[in-house]
Amino acid sequence: SQQGEEDPQALSIQEGENATMNCSYKTSINNLQWYRQNSGRGLVHLILIRSNEREKHSGRLRVTLDTSKKSSSLLITASRAADTASYFCATDARGADGLTFGKGTHLIIQP
Amino acid sequence: GAGVSQSPRYKVAKRGQDVALRCDPISGHVSLFWYQQALGQGPEFLTYFQNEAQLDKSGLPSDRFFAERPEGSVSTLKIQRTQQEDSAVYLCASSWSGSSYEQYFGPGTRLTVT
């Protein structure tokens, strides 16, 4: 079963705009990770945020985590055509092995 | 350095055939994971190895699925008597240790059962 739910399911924006994706999950976690998947490069790790962290930055990416609401957001600033992909949040749940992925947000950047 | 590799990249099997999918993890990675990804869905966990020990196989959908990693490096996922519902992309990932670290994914094997 899939724990995470990304919102929205699909998002289309103009190049240069910011894109925000949200993720909700159900159980207590050790960490939450965001991955990107496109046909060219497969599934690629973007960023990991631990349960005791609230915000993390990496280049044009900003991730927040609210464990009280069991939710996370991924912000991509100054989007580029190459950012077109599906984005998944994945949780490392306490007591579980492996990651639990959501269904993903399909992001399209219009040139 | 070399990433995670999987072979074959594509496999077409007739219903009832057995298939074997191979994963070569990143050298030195202790942990190895198998996931199944149906079209339009996120990956779903199948099984987890720490070195050669299979510590979790709770995600394997039936006893037709079997995985091994005999020397703690290369892993094989075997599906016996394939069914149409087994059609999916099978992803292998490795990491330094468990899910506390980022996982490096292979390109996947797309299995189509006809």
Side-chain angles (χ1 to χ4, degrees), chain A residues 90-104:
Chain A
T91 52
D92 170 28
R94 291 179 191 166
D97 297 307
L99 295 173
T100 305
F101 285 81
K103 294 183 180 180

Side-chain angles (χ1 to χ4, degrees), chain A residues 1-2 30-31 33 35 37 39 42-45 48 50 88 92 96-104, chain B residues 9 33 35 37 40-45 48 55-56 89 91 98-107:
Chain A
S1 63
Q2 303 199 284
N30 294 314
N31 67 64
Q33 304 179 33
Y35 287 80
Q37 186 176 43
S39 58
L43 202 63
V44 174
H45 178 268
L48 181 154
R50 301 201 182 278
F88 296 92
D92 170 28
D97 297 307
L99 295 173
T100 305
F101 285 81
K103 294 183 180 180
Chain B
R9 291 292 310 277
F33 306 83
Y35 296 86
Q37 186 174 23
Q41 302 292 313
E44 291 210 11
F45 170 77
Y48 163 58
L55 298 186
D56 187 344
V89 175
L91 297 167
S99 294
S100 296
Y101 300 90
E102 65 181 282
Q103 295 186 15
Y104 295 82
F105 282 80

Side-chain angles (χ1 to χ4, degrees), chain A residues 49-90:
Chain A
I49 186 165
R50 301 201 182 278
S51 60
N52 61 353
E53 297 176 307
R54 292 295 167 261
E55 187 171 312
K56 203 161 184 180
H57 296 254
S58 176
R60 293 184 296 113
L61 306 180
R62 171 178 170 258
V63 168
T64 63
L65 178 64
D66 186 335
T67 53
S68 67
K69 295 182 179 177
K70 291 188 169 56
S71 67
S72 173
S73 68
L74 171 67
L75 168 67
I76 304 173
T77 59
S79 62
R80 305 168 182 170
D83 295 330
T84 293
S86 291
Y87 291 80
F88 296 92
C89 70

Side-chain angles (χ1 to χ4, degrees), chain B residues 60-74:
Chain B
L60 295 176
S62 78
D63 58 9
R64 297 185 294 105
F65 286 69
F66 171 75
E68 60 183 5
R69 192 186 186 198
E71 296 178 358
S73 179
V74 171

